[in-house]
Each structure stands twice: as structure tokens, then as C-alpha cells.
Amino acid sequence: GLQRRPLAKMLNSIKPKLITYQQKNHTNPKDDKRLSSWNALYLEALSYAAEDKVYVDQAKTLKAWIDTNLYNDNIYYHHANHKKAPTALGTLEDYAYLAKALLRYQRYDASAKQQITTLINTAWETFYKDKQWHASQHIFLPGQVGFYKSPNKAIPSAEATLILTTKHFMKDNKTLSSAVKIMDNSQTENFQKQIFSYATYLLNIPK
């Protein structure tokens, strides 16, 4: 491989060229996607901090942005671009994180309850098929496997998040027809092993 000194010399020779190129006002490629799952995580954080009215207002502003840019006609998208309409459909992670975020957010906006119902039912219908979890509704990359088992580590997996969010929401709501039917028909030992782990049980669902 390259030795330290020759590498440093090479980098020093490249630097002036990079500065010259930059000064020509070239527009470099920019990834300006607004990811649904990240915005859902942010919405949940704001909702937890919302004992302060400032954060309630910020949470409502973000929720309105999500509804306008990522969630249209009960279709949830994976990301929004700065100047283009969204086209990539939401993933299991997107649905799971937003449903969980809205569990907390609904304390400040009761209308979110129906959206939680739709998200959970749609997620189960779309991403759990033939006793397999599907990461997305279509293949993002060539050769990508259609189903997967994501790990439960410090942060629980998307499927674990969806299951526990569903179970919490079911306590007071009888409208989760799709989710309840699938869960009732899937209580096998293999299904349980696929979903639950120690990290899953540590997941903090708002009470």
C-alpha cells in the first residue's frame, strides 16, 4: 500500500486543484432526500419533549410537513425530494417508526388515531407475507432479497417495533382487523423466535 509520507505529499498536491475547482462555482451533486423514518424518529422525540409548549408546536409543524410531503391519500412514501414529488413507496421501517411516533403524538392531536390504525393495518398487509418479513414493497437494488430478518440490537428491529406498537395500540382499539388476523394466525414457535429478542422487550412503548 501507500506509505504515509508519499500519501501526504500526494494529498497536498491535490488540495490546490480541489480549491481551484471549487472556486469555479461548480454545482456538486447533492443528496437532498428527506427520509420518512428519520422524520418519524424526530417526531417521536419532539412528542416526548412536548411538555414544553415550544416542542408541541414543533411536533405539530413536523406532522403537518409529513402529511403534506410524505403521506398522501393513505400512501406513505420512503422519502421526499426538494423539487420532485415522492415516488418510492414507504418501507417496513417507515411504517413502523411513524406508527410508534404517532402513539406518543396522539396525546396532542386526537386525529392521529385513525392514521395509526391505517399505518398498522397497511404495514401488516404489505410487509408480512408467507411468514416472512419484507423490507420494502419493491426492490431498491439489483439482487436484493425480497424478505429479511433484521437484527434486534441496541435499537429494536422494524418488525419488533411494529409488533409492539400494534400490541400497545390494540389495548384500547378494536379496529386493527388486518394486524389482529395475521397475528392470531401466526402464533407458532418459529414466528415468536423470528420476532422477539431481549432488545425487543427493552423497547419503550409509551403508556
Side-chain angles (χ1 to χ4, degrees), residues 48-64:
Y48 268 99
E51 292 180 3
D52 186 327
K53 187 178 182 301
V54 173
Y55 295 110
V56 174
D57 293 340
Q58 290 184 21
K60 289 183 176 180
T61 298
L62 177 57
K63 173 61 165 52

Side-chain angles (χ1 to χ4, degrees), residues 24-194:
K24 291 181 180 180
N25 296 320
H26 287 283
T27 301
N28 296 318
K30 180 181 179 182
D31 186 349
D32 63 353
K33 294 192 297 292
R34 279 77 162 172
L35 295 174
S36 298
S37 57
W38 290 15
N39 277 281
L41 290 172
Y42 185 33
L43 177 62
E44 183 178 13
L46 289 173
S47 299
Y48 268 99
E51 292 180 3
D52 186 327
K53 187 178 182 301
V54 173
Y55 295 110
V56 174
D57 293 340
Q58 290 184 21
K60 289 183 176 180
T61 298
L62 177 57
K63 173 61 165 52
W65 183 89
I66 290 173
D67 287 343
T68 300
N69 296 277
L70 296 170
Y71 193 84
N72 298 313
D73 296 326
N74 291 332
I75 298 175
Y76 189 35
Y77 293 95
H78 180 55
H79 61 77
N81 292 317
H82 182 58
K83 296 181 179 179
K84 299 178 181 178
T87 56
L89 298 177
T91 64
L92 170 59
E93 185 176 79
D94 298 326
Y95 277 81
Y97 286 177
L98 183 58
K100 182 171 181 285
L102 292 179
L103 275 182
R104 186 74 184 190
Y105 176 81
Q106 69 174 332
R107 300 184 179 193
Y108 314 103
D109 181 359
S111 66
K113 183 176 179 179
Q114 179 56 47
Q115 192 171 0
I116 298 172
T117 300
T118 301
L119 283 167
I120 291 177
N121 277 328
T122 302
W124 279 94
E125 292 170 359
T126 305
F127 301 109
Y128 189 74
K129 297 180 179 179
D130 301 322
K131 297 186 178 181
Q132 293 283 358
W133 287 104
H134 293 246
S136 63
Q137 301 180 57
H138 53 77
I139 303 301
F140 284 113
L141 299 173
Q144 185 183 29
V145 178
F147 59 84
Y148 79 137
K149 177 187 176 186
S150 60
N152 284 296
K153 295 183 178 179
I155 299 177
S157 63
E159 59 265 37
T161 300
L162 177 64
I163 289 166
L164 292 183
T165 300
T166 301
K167 288 198 169 188
H168 175 80
F169 194 63
M170 281 168 56
K171 291 178 182 178
D172 303 312
N173 299 275
K174 308 301 181 183
T175 55
L176 298 179
S177 56
S178 298
V180 172
K181 180 179 179 181
I182 295 171
M183 293 179 75
D184 285 347
N185 292 336
S186 304
Q187 299 304 315
T188 64
E189 183 179 356
N190 180 61
F191 182 78
Q192 295 293 339
K193 286 181 178 179
Q194 181 181 2

